[in-house]
Amino acid sequence: MSTTPPPRLLTPGSLPGEAEHAADDGAFGWLRALGPRGRQAFAGAFGGYALDSYDYFTLPLSMVTLAAYFGLDSGQTGLFTTVTLVVSAIGGAVAGVMADRLGRVRALMITVTTYAVFTVACGFAPSYEALLVFRALQGLGFGGEWAVGAVLVAEYTSARHRGRTLGAVQSSWAVGWALAAVVYTLVFSLVGDDWAWRVMFWTGALPALLVVWLRRRVHDAPAATAAREQSPRRGSFTAIFRPGSGEEPGLLRTTLCAVLLSTGVQGGYYTLATWVPTYLKTERGLSVVGTGGYLTFLICGAFLGYLTGGHLTDRLGRRRTIWLFALLSALCVLVYAHIPHGANTVLLVLGFPLGFCMSAIFSGFGSYLSELYPTAVRGTGQGFTYNAGRAVGAVFPTLVGFLADGWGVGGALVFGAIGYGLAALALLGLPETRGKELV
């Protein structure tokens, strides 16, 4: 009688025997453990989110020039960000449902195409009102891309590596931000202001190249696809708002607390992302090149924060890591906004820890929100909670815009710290999910 053991069934990221342990070793063990298809999914999500970031930052970096070109006050310029983020909630919710019903990769291609087309359209805007409409429509794609890409990668990743893997995907936001800052510095140094902002938006066509690659190379995780298709409640909004009954747990509390968590973190983040470039130019008196230099420190901190936060979510847990960086981010915002005007060197140096903390808090989001929902509604749950929080958090940049005329931009940035306080409060209603396998 044969003593050969039965074949082992592999999950998308698993490897047999010694190869499995080898894949776990080293700084990039999480990447090797994904397997070939998982790495392609990672590359697609990483590229999509980087270009999402690039297209988003074409507006904040051009804000001062746009205000002068169209004759806008601070409230009107702040409305650009609010409209984008509010409409992104609709786009994110729709994209989440599409991800559960049509598949992760198809939904990802649709979102990338949408934000690319309308970013380019912004460059042709003849008026403030037209630009506002195009920016709102850009938000439809902007809202859905991250949630869909995060779910795609999460379903290829083991529980052991999910935090750092999704943290690495999140770090692509800093890559896109850095690319936007470089292009901004070049374009605004070489092209007159009346055309420079248009050129910035036209470069938003870059994501179209990614869509071609996604269509040919990236696939949904087979095990997750099978589990999703077997569920009768696939992509159901009703399911994520269903209260518990008897022994059957509901998702209502999870959804409400996850929305509050997303509101706080994104309210703080987008306050800073929208207004720091304006703060540096108008209140600190920096030139285009000078602003780019200060943003370099902020962005480098952000990139390392994403990677570090991802590792910490696997070591400390999702809740503890988010709570830690909510506290540190709030402190950094308060200090950064109140540095004396003669201390620009201190402002430069503090940009690094500010960028580090406000980005590290996001690293756990991809894994945490994915783990809070079952496979059949994972895209719907993650897409809705992340983007509903983004929409409500969009009020924060607008408040800063309206208060900036009286308080100054630096004084109004205090609303960013309030947002991080809300995030810490929301964690009281959410469970720890570290170590949870996605089935």
Side-chain angles (χ1 to χ4, degrees), residues 123-335:
F124 292 98
S127 64
Y128 167 69
E129 292 76 15
L131 182 56
L132 201 61
V133 170
F134 289 145
R135 189 65 178 178
L137 293 172
Q138 188 254 15
L140 290 174
F142 169 70
E145 191 284 331
W146 176 83
V148 177
V151 170
L152 172 68
V153 176
E155 292 175 342
Y156 271 105
T157 310
S158 68
R160 176 178 179 180
H161 294 130
R162 191 171 298 119
R164 70 201 77 178
T165 304
L166 272 296
V169 172
Q170 197 81 45
S171 73
S172 65
W173 183 266
V175 174
W177 189 4
L179 180 60
V182 170
V183 174
Y184 157 79
T185 302
L186 291 173
V187 169
F188 277 79
S189 297
L190 299 174
V191 182
D193 283 359
D194 286 353
W195 281 97
W197 67 270
R198 295 187 185 276
V199 173
M200 278 295 294
F201 283 121
W202 291 337
T203 61
L206 287 171
L209 299 175
L210 177 67
V211 174
V212 177
W213 186 82
L214 285 170
R215 184 174 180 178
R216 294 179 177 178
R217 303 295 298 274
V218 182
H219 306 275
D220 289 0
T225 299
R228 186 176 70 249
E229 291 179 348
Q230 290 171 5
S231 173
R233 291 180 173 177
R234 189 172 47 174
S236 167
F237 277 119
T238 304
I240 67 171
F241 286 102
R242 189 178 66 252
S245 58
E247 296 182 358
E248 184 181 1
L251 293 170
L252 177 62
R253 176 175 171 173
T254 295
T255 297
L256 295 178
C257 290
V259 168
L260 182 60
L261 175 66
S262 295
T263 296
V265 171
Q266 295 188 87
Y269 181 86
Y270 285 110
T271 294
L272 297 171
T274 300
W275 287 106
V276 163
T278 299
Y279 172 65
L280 293 174
K281 291 177 76 172
T282 60
E283 294 193 15
R284 310 302 301 207
L286 300 179
S287 65
V288 168
V289 175
T291 297
Y294 277 67
L295 289 177
T296 298
F297 271 72
L298 193 68
I299 294 167
C300 287
F303 181 74
L304 292 177
Y306 286 130
L307 297 179
T308 303
H311 279 270
L312 288 177
T313 58
D314 284 336
R315 291 179 178 274
L316 302 180
R318 312 327 187 197
R319 294 174 77 252
R320 259 193 258 180
T321 303
I322 294 173
W323 188 91
L324 172 65
F325 285 111
L327 174 63
L328 293 177
S329 297
L331 290 174
C332 285
V333 171
L334 294 175
V335 173

Side-chain angles (χ1 to χ4, degrees), residues 63 70-81 128-129 132 401-402:
M63 195 90 87
F70 290 115
L72 309 177
D73 58 30
S74 296
Q76 289 174 305
T77 53
L79 192 59
F80 278 129
T81 297
Y128 167 69
E129 292 76 15
L132 201 61
F402 281 110

Side-chain angles (χ1 to χ4, degrees), residues 367-379:
S367 53
Y368 196 32
L369 295 182
S370 293
E371 291 160 353
L372 288 173
Y373 291 94
T375 301
V377 292
R378 185 167 295 128

Side-chain angles (χ1 to χ4, degrees), residues 323-413:
W323 188 91
L324 172 65
F325 285 111
L327 174 63
L328 293 177
S329 297
L331 290 174
C332 285
V333 171
L334 294 175
V335 173
Y336 191 81
H338 293 90
I339 293 173
H341 278 266
N344 276 1
T345 301
V346 177
L347 187 76
L348 176 71
V349 174
L350 189 61
F352 186 90
L354 176 65
F356 183 94
C357 293
M358 67 188 251
S359 300
I361 194 172
F362 273 107
S363 293
F365 264 56
S367 53
Y368 196 32
L369 295 182
S370 293
E371 291 160 353
L372 288 173
Y373 291 94
T375 301
V377 292
R378 185 167 295 128
T380 303
Q382 182 150 331
F384 176 81
T385 56
Y386 188 81
N387 288 288
R390 182 184 268 169
V392 181
V395 173
F396 287 64
T398 300
L399 283 174
V400 171
F402 281 110
L403 293 173
D405 293 332
W407 295 16
V409 175
L413 287 178

